[in-house]
Each structure stands twice: as C-alpha cells, then as structure tokens.
Amino acid sequence: MANARELYLGLISGTSMDGIDAALVDFSDGQPHLLASRTQRWDTGVRTRLAAMAQAAQGIDLDALGRLDHAIGHCFADAALALLQQAGVDPRHVHAIGSHGQTIRHQPLGDAPFSMQIGDPTLVAERCGIDVVADFRRADLAAGGQGAPLVPPFHAAMLGLAGECRVVLNLGGIANVTVLHADGQVRGFDTGPANALLDAWCLRQRGEPYDRDGAFAAAGHVDPRLLDALLADPYFALAPPKSTGREYFHLDWLAQFGMAAGLPPADVQATLLELTARSVAAAITKHAADASEILVCGGGVHNTALLRRLRTLLAPRRVASTAEAGIDPDFVEAMAFAWLARQRVHDRPGNLPAVTGARGPRILGALHRAPGTTAA
C-alpha cells in the first residue's frame, strides 16, 4: 500500500437506533485522530423493523431476521462509502472497517449467554472493498465476560489522566460509565437507560424521534411514586460488571408498573428523565466518589434538561462534554470501533477483564476479507 497513513473506519448504530455513526480515524502516530465523520439516519421503515425486532420478547421470524441482516449490511456499507466520498479518501487506503452492527439482543447472563448484532459484515467488505472486523462481543462472552461495555479501553487511551480520577459518561440509548481511576485502573458498566425510554415515549406521544433539548420533559413534573417504582428495579442494585440493552429497558418495561397510564404524558417524560439522571448519579457517586470530572458523550449530551439535572445531582464535580477534551461527543463510539478493528488487525486484546468480567484479555472480532485480499 503506497499510503503513509494508517487509516481505519468505525461504524456503529447504538441502542438509540437513531442512525449509523461513521468515523474515519488516522493512527499514523499511534494515537487516534478523527479525520472525518458523519451520521446516516435510518430509513424510517428499516428503523421500525429494527425496533420491533430488538424489543420482541419471543417469536422472531428467521426469514425476517435474515432479510433485516442483509438490509442493514447495505446500510452500513452505504454509510462507510458516503464517509469516504465526503473525506476524499480512496477505499484502498483504509486498513480495515470496524463494524459493530446493530444489537438486537444482549443476554449476557444465564446458562447460554449471548449477544447478537446484525448487519452482514461480509456484504460490507464486498461493497467497500475493505477488510471488515465485526462480531466483537463473542470472544469476551466465551471467556465468561458480559461482552460489554467495550469502549472503556478506548476511553482510557484517549482520556485517562495520571493522578486524577475521571468518569466518561456515554448517554446513548443505554447509559454507561467508564471510571478512569487516578492509579490507572479502569472500571466500566451500564448504569441503565439513558435515551432509550425517553426517545420511545416521545415518539409514541408526540411523533418525534427524540425530545429536543429535553423540552417535553421540562414541561412536566416528576411523579415520585412512579420514579420510586422504576428505581426499585433489581438491575439498578446489581454490582458491576453488568450490562443491559433495549431488550430490557423499553416501553413494555415501563407499562408493567401501571402508573404511567394515568399520568399526563409530559409528567411521564419528566419522570423518565429523572430516572436516567438519578441512576447515573447514584452509580457515579458509589463507584467513583473521588472523581473530579465527568466527561459526557453520546446523543444525550445535547439534552440540556438532562445535563442540567446531572450537574445538580453530581455537584461539585464538573460535568462537561468530551468536546472540551478535544473529542467530538457524537463520534466517540464510532472512533472506538475503529480502534478495536486496529487492535484485531494487530492481534492485540480489545477487552478489559476488570470491566467485562472475562477470565482474561481476549482478541476481539472476526476478520472478513475484502475481495481479492489474502491473509498475511
């Protein structure tokens, strides 16, 4: 390859399912530098099919799953190719794509733990002409881990600060925290819902995919009885390592508490926002009591009502966007999967056992070769 740069491309659609984030990252000096990024919004029909399948308690049709896997593979390839065109980069100059795919089920506990992401990676490799690393969670699960969260090692590489305890808070569909301890130790886990319930309730009540600036929630009042019932869910009391997803925290989960049906819709939204803020703040207070700073990324960073509430609950700690540390908050996870692809290509571990609970470090991801390439 006559290209001096070491380029990788990361692709992910998270639990919010609001779009495919794509990040082109340059590792030429060993550190990740974001060269270009974009978010490709889902086609409404595809997103509807995705959400229905991710929340289906049982009875997923195999033919429907296969068709959706194929369709999402095309969507991911479209996102990668659009980003390369935007950046003016020849696909031949990209070492590999790290494609997380779309999670439709994450069940890390029980007798048969598994995590399933769809979005055919071989199709992405075929269309883009670039090697694709995908299926990042299985190796960690096979080693007894949760298979999640996988982004903390990237957080540590990018945002760790010797002698200071920092927290990186990702507010996607699910909220997760990475605790970067002053001594270099790293911990991380999913705290519970972030945007998943807020977005779903807003869509059902107002036909809008998300609550812009938290205005819908700000128009309501927190219902203490409903909030107490939600916070009593056993997940919040579990000790890490732990991880969860949309298959657990969705509107049917909310409906089982009954009380939401008799409340004004804005009051339910306000209560769901408070649920996110309280569960996140409690987790940080318990597991990172000495943190001086919380750096926030993910779609929830744009919810001003949520950020305002978090600042109140977490005071006197500083709560700020990762943008203040030089990292675009909307593309931290896409950059992380570019980093994980590079780890796989260089045969380096991608997990942190202290985070996931795995028995040891593991090389993550399966490599899908582009047409015409051969193994080294």
Side-chain angles (χ1 to χ4, degrees), residues 197-244:
L197 292 171
L198 290 166
D199 291 351
W201 186 254
C202 188
L203 182 64
R204 175 179 290 184
Q205 299 298 325
R206 307 184 79 176
E208 299 170 356
Y210 65 96
D211 184 6
R212 186 180 297 275
D213 297 324
F216 184 24
H221 298 89
V222 174
D223 184 87
R225 287 182 63 246
L226 177 58
L227 178 64
D228 288 346
L230 300 179
L231 285 170
D233 186 277
Y235 181 82
F236 298 112
L238 287 176
K242 63 178 181 177
S243 57
T244 188

Side-chain angles (χ1 to χ4, degrees), residues 248-268:
Y248 189 94
F249 289 108
H250 51 73
L251 291 185
D252 287 344
W253 175 83
L254 174 64
Q256 71 181 327
F257 296 95
M259 291 171 277
L263 294 174
D267 287 2
V268 175

Side-chain angles (χ1 to χ4, degrees), residues 238-295:
L238 287 176
K242 63 178 181 177
S243 57
T244 188
R246 181 185 284 265
E247 69 283 341
Y248 189 94
F249 289 108
H250 51 73
L251 291 185
D252 287 344
W253 175 83
L254 174 64
Q256 71 181 327
F257 296 95
M259 291 171 277
L263 294 174
D267 287 2
V268 175
Q269 188 76 354
T271 305
L272 293 176
L273 185 143
E274 186 70 7
L275 170 68
T276 293
R278 289 272 194 98
S279 55
V280 165
I284 291 173
T285 300
K286 182 174 182 178
H287 296 282
D290 58 340
S292 59
E293 184 175 47
I294 292 89
L295 296 173

Side-chain angles (χ1 to χ4, degrees), residues 28-45:
S28 298
D29 64 359
Q31 295 298 311
H33 302 281
L34 183 63
L35 294 184
S37 58
R38 63 176 278 125
T39 297
Q40 178 166 303
R41 297 298 173 189
W42 284 111
D43 170 84
T44 302

